Amino acid sequence: MTDLCGQIRFFGPSARRLETAQYIRVNGKGDRKTPCKPVLEKILSENDWNVPPPNIVISVTGGASQFRFDSQLKDAFGAGLVKMASNSGAWVVTGGEHSGVMKLTGQALAHCRSEEGHSVPCIGICTWGRVHMKDTLTVDAETLYDSSSKSGKKNITPLDPNHSHFVFVDDGIESDSPKRTHQPWHGEFNKAIQNYDFEHNIKVPVVTVLVNGGKGSLDTVRESLEKRVPVVVVKGSGRCADALAFIMDSAIRYVSHICSSTAYVLY
């Protein structure tokens, strides 16, 4: 399934304390692509990562760059995410990078761990070619990793220290390639969770949360809806999220107007 797995021990000012995360690298190339089910079984297995089965999966997507976020909305998003995740036995899945909405999600869950004592699994699904200092990751070993370190290269980003697990998808995209804003394996992983036979034949629901975002986020939203995964759009977070919120608000107002007019005529 993989030729690389181990642990990352985070340090530096961006880590609240000496955090440790487990990781695995999978193949994301064409016909040789690693199936999602064995990875899911590794995450759940008592002999491997031993992560408790989720009751729901919250897949957070959106802006990967350092976007401006209103402090009041930031606090509301963090509080809402923590409340939903900690009270429902959720897994939270992101792109795992120390930037944008992924960093914001990690910070919210880290606060939840330190202040409230709740530990919510936070899984980062990352494109291998974009990972900063990936050459330091070695087989079955623990790697010290400073997530505040800067790569100095375009499209290369450090890992977020507040994620508990990472799945690195090696799809052949390298650092000098055009920036990939959408990782298809992420959507396939969410679908595998929906179809997985958990104990007592329970089917686990998945919900996508969109914060900010660009063109790649539109692809993620489209894939989610095609797989019948509901999408929560955080209005006021900017760019793609605000554009979709505007379209939905306009549609709702139009339908309400038509319905009220029709009802008046019929009356």
Side-chain angles (χ1 to χ4, degrees):
M1 178 176 64
T2 179
D3 60 350
L4 187 64
C5 60
Q7 289 188 329
I8 302 171
R9 186 171 291 272
F10 290 101
F11 70 96
S14 58
R16 286 175 173 261
R17 60 182 184 277
L18 209 58
E19 303 279 5
T20 300
Q22 294 172 297
Y23 71 86
I24 183 175
R25 184 175 67 182
V26 300
N27 195 327
K29 302 174 188 175
D31 295 337
R32 297 163 54 197
K33 184 183 296 183
T34 303
C36 296
K37 186 176 180 180
V39 178
L40 183 56
E41 289 172 343
K42 179 180 180 66
I43 294 172
L44 293 165
S45 173
E46 293 181 0
N47 297 321
D48 281 300
W49 289 3
N50 195 26
V51 179
N55 294 322
I56 185 173
V57 172
I58 304 169
S59 182
V60 183
T61 188
S65 60
Q66 301 292 344
F67 57 88
R68 294 192 177 189
F69 209 40
D70 177 81
S71 59
Q72 187 174 359
L73 183 59
K74 177 181 177 180
D75 292 342
F77 168 76
L81 176 65
V82 165
K83 182 177 181 180
M84 179 166 59
S86 60
N87 291 341
S88 61
W91 287 1
V92 176
V93 182
T94 81
E97 298 176 3
H98 191 52
S99 64
V101 66
M102 298 164 283
K103 178 180 178 180
L104 183 65
T105 299
Q107 288 174 336
L109 295 178
H111 178 78
C112 176
R113 286 194 297 270
S114 62
E115 299 296 328
E116 302 178 26
H118 296 296
S119 182
V120 177
C122 188
I123 302 172
I125 297 179
C126 317
T127 300
W128 175 247
R130 287 173 49 83
V131 176
H132 180 40
M133 298 192 300
K134 63 179 181 292
D135 294 337
T136 65
L137 303 178
T138 54
V139 179
D140 296 326
E142 184 177 88
T143 301
L144 284 174
Y145 191 100
D146 182 3
S147 59
S148 63
S149 172
K150 304 297 182 182
S151 70
K153 295 181 180 179
K154 187 178 181 181
N155 301 335
I156 299 296
T157 55
L159 300 171
D160 184 73
N162 296 311
H163 283 60
S164 58
H165 304 82
F166 291 93
V167 178
F168 300 130
V169 183
D170 187 359
D171 56 5
I173 301 294
E174 296 298 334
S175 61
D176 56 352
S177 300
K179 182 176 180 181
R180 162 162 275 173
T181 58
H182 174 64
Q183 176 51 261
W185 204 92
H186 187 153
E188 294 169 13
F189 181 74
N190 290 341
K191 184 66 175 178
I193 293 174
Q194 285 183 299
N195 293 334
Y196 191 79
D197 290 326
F198 289 93
E199 191 174 358
H200 307 305
N201 293 321
I202 294 175
K203 296 298 183 182
V204 173
V206 177
V207 60
T208 295
V209 178
L210 174 64
V211 184
N212 193 272
K215 180 180 180 298
S217 298
L218 287 176
D219 292 332
T220 302
V221 169
R222 174 183 53 79
E223 282 190 2
S224 295
L225 296 176
E226 287 175 350
K227 294 179 172 67
R228 303 184 69 83
V229 172
V231 177
V232 176
V233 176
V234 180
K235 184 178 179 180
S237 60
R239 299 203 301 160
C240 179
D242 281 5
L244 290 177
F246 174 79
I247 292 170
M248 290 302 300
D249 284 345
S250 299
I252 290 170
R253 285 196 299 269
Y254 177 76
V255 171
S256 298
H257 172 72
I258 295 298
C259 289
S260 62
S261 298
T262 304
Y264 178 78
V265 172
L266 291 176
Y267 178 79

